[in-house]
Amino acid sequence: MSFAHTHAKTYIQILKNYPDVELLTSDPGAHPAKELRGRAAAEELGVSYVETYAELLAWRPHGVIIASENARHRQDVEVAVAAGADILCEKPLATTLEDGLAIRDAVELAGVRLMVAFPVRFATNFGKLKTDHQAGLLGTVVAVRGSNNGKLPTERAWFTDPQLAGGGALVDHIVHIADLIEGLTGATPTSVTAIANRKLHSERAHAETAALVTISYDDGSIAAVDCSWSHPNTAPTWGGLRVVVAGTEGATEIDFFAPRAHGLQSATGLPVELPYGPNFNEPLLKTFIESVRTGTSAQPDVEVGLKTLKIVLAAQESADTGRTVAIH
């Protein structure tokens, strides 16, 4: 449902060749003239297409992937659950707490399952980190430092539209690190302090482009997160995500997108970085499909989506008011 999110293309490319999966797509509505959307996008990707969600859901899919603009997640979830489909929903879960709670209620009432698309959680090096932590090699986690930096999104204009995205870099980037902390420790966030500005890309962006966020948790740990669109347009890659986890028995650092081949363009001399290694979206989709097939719940679920949404909303309020904001 929808090609709005840039991950939709990746999901389609993976699922097209997935064994025993039939795929149907729909991306209704008016789209920006410069963006490849709708039937034209489906034809380029070589995938079946219908004009409306009603036609798509009349097909009675077992599972639905919602890749629409953030502010439209609630309406799309409510339509999908009415058809009895399990859901993989793009992050963040919603743009308001009201919508997030409505999504949870709709899923529970319909008796379907919802996963939130946090692919970095499925990285093999994060799995190793979890195993080491569970074995006690880090001791008690006391602090996490994370950075999720990238270029200003340009392929889809809605990413920098606060009405459709729910904000800017805070919304786009903090949720990934918040989910990694959830997956690692399961601790509950209690308060958030944030500062943000729009000095980077001020001529194009309509929301915050740089932010620093501090999160306190109920187990006494703290997290400091740099979530910014701080990479220049000329950077050789979109950006990256790193975390440093400090415990009472040791510390470790992970650069999730470190595997890259580095070089120079022969014509211009500009640097080139080509990523290689596992595609995190593949185990994400595999987990969702297995959840649909077996009827079992999978993580990260709707409750994780709500927990990370509350962090985002608290960070926005803190940046607006200059105060630390408690999470309830």
Side-chain angles (χ1 to χ4, degrees):
M1 293 175 67
S2 181
F3 299 157
H5 201 288
T6 51
H7 288 169
K9 179 179 179 181
T10 302
Y11 298 150
I12 289 170
Q13 290 170 331
I14 294 170
L15 290 172
K16 274 176 57 180
N17 301 311
Y18 208 94
D20 302 322
V21 166
E22 295 179 81
L23 183 61
L24 184 63
T25 66
S26 185
D27 186 31
H31 307 303
K34 296 181 180 180
E35 297 181 7
L36 184 63
R37 298 280 301 272
R39 183 173 291 279
E43 290 175 352
E44 179 169 288
L45 291 166
V47 64
S48 298
Y49 183 84
V50 291
E51 296 293 343
T52 68
Y53 289 157
E55 293 174 90
L56 187 149
L57 294 170
W59 186 55
R60 306 304 294 178
H62 298 101
V64 166
I65 299 175
I66 293 175
S68 55
E69 298 87 342
N70 299 341
R72 293 174 174 152
H73 287 176
R74 174 182 175 176
Q75 66 188 44
D76 293 345
V77 167
E78 290 175 340
V79 169
V81 300
D86 289 335
I87 295 167
L88 176 64
C89 183
E90 261 302 338
K91 58 79 188 170
L93 182 65
T95 58
T96 68
L97 183 58
E98 178 185 1
D99 282 356
L101 293 172
I103 287 172
R104 182 185 65 183
D105 292 345
V107 167
E108 291 180 350
L109 183 63
V112 299
R113 285 154 292 279
L114 183 145
M115 277 185 67
V116 184
F118 287 125
V120 183
R121 178 190 279 239
F122 295 89
T124 53
N125 48 9
F126 182 68
K128 176 65 164 54
L129 173 61
K130 287 184 64 175
T131 300
D132 289 348
H133 176 50
Q134 291 166 356
L137 299 184
L138 296 176
T140 301
V141 173
V142 295
V144 176
R145 185 173 77 246
S147 62
N148 190 2
N149 307 133
K151 294 181 180 181
L152 179 74
T154 56
E155 188 175 343
R156 292 289 189 255
W158 69 266
F159 270 101
T160 56
D161 180 345
Q163 293 300 313
L164 292 175
L170 271 172
V171 174
D172 194 28
H173 282 172
I174 192 174
V175 287
H176 284 295
I177 294 174
D179 175 64
L180 291 175
I181 296 170
E182 162 68 21
L184 182 65
T185 70
T188 299
T190 57
S191 66
V192 176
T193 306
I195 56 173
N197 63 46
R198 196 165 59 89
K199 294 184 178 181
L200 296 170
H201 312 291
S202 59
E203 74 286 357
R204 290 189 293 150
H206 304 289
E208 78 282 348
T209 53
L212 295 172
V213 180
T214 303
I215 312 165
S216 297
Y217 288 86
D218 64 351
D219 63 355
S221 63
I222 57 173
V225 183
D226 172 1
C227 44
S228 305
W229 290 326
S230 54
H231 281 223
N233 295 336
T234 54
T237 187
W238 67 271
L241 192 155
R242 298 175 175 85
V243 296
V244 177
V245 181
T248 55
E249 299 296 327
T252 189
E253 180 176 0
I254 298 178
D255 183 344
F256 286 92
F257 295 93
R260 291 176 178 142
H262 298 260
L264 297 173
Q265 296 182 32
S266 59
T268 64
L270 293 175
V272 176
E273 294 183 14
L274 301 177
Y276 63 88
N279 183 337
F280 305 155
N281 290 296
E282 291 178 354
L284 168 71
L285 291 174
K286 180 179 179 181
T287 300
F288 174 62
I289 290 170
E290 289 305 308
S291 172
V292 173
R293 284 176 168 164
T294 62
T296 57
S297 297
Q299 295 295 327
D301 62 9
V302 67
E303 293 296 340
V304 175
L306 273 176
K307 187 181 286 189
T308 55
L309 173 60
K310 288 179 180 179
I311 292 174
V312 169
L313 296 175
Q316 290 177 321
E317 182 180 345
S318 177
D320 288 342
T321 63
R323 298 193 299 267
T324 296
V325 175
I327 297 179
H328 303 289

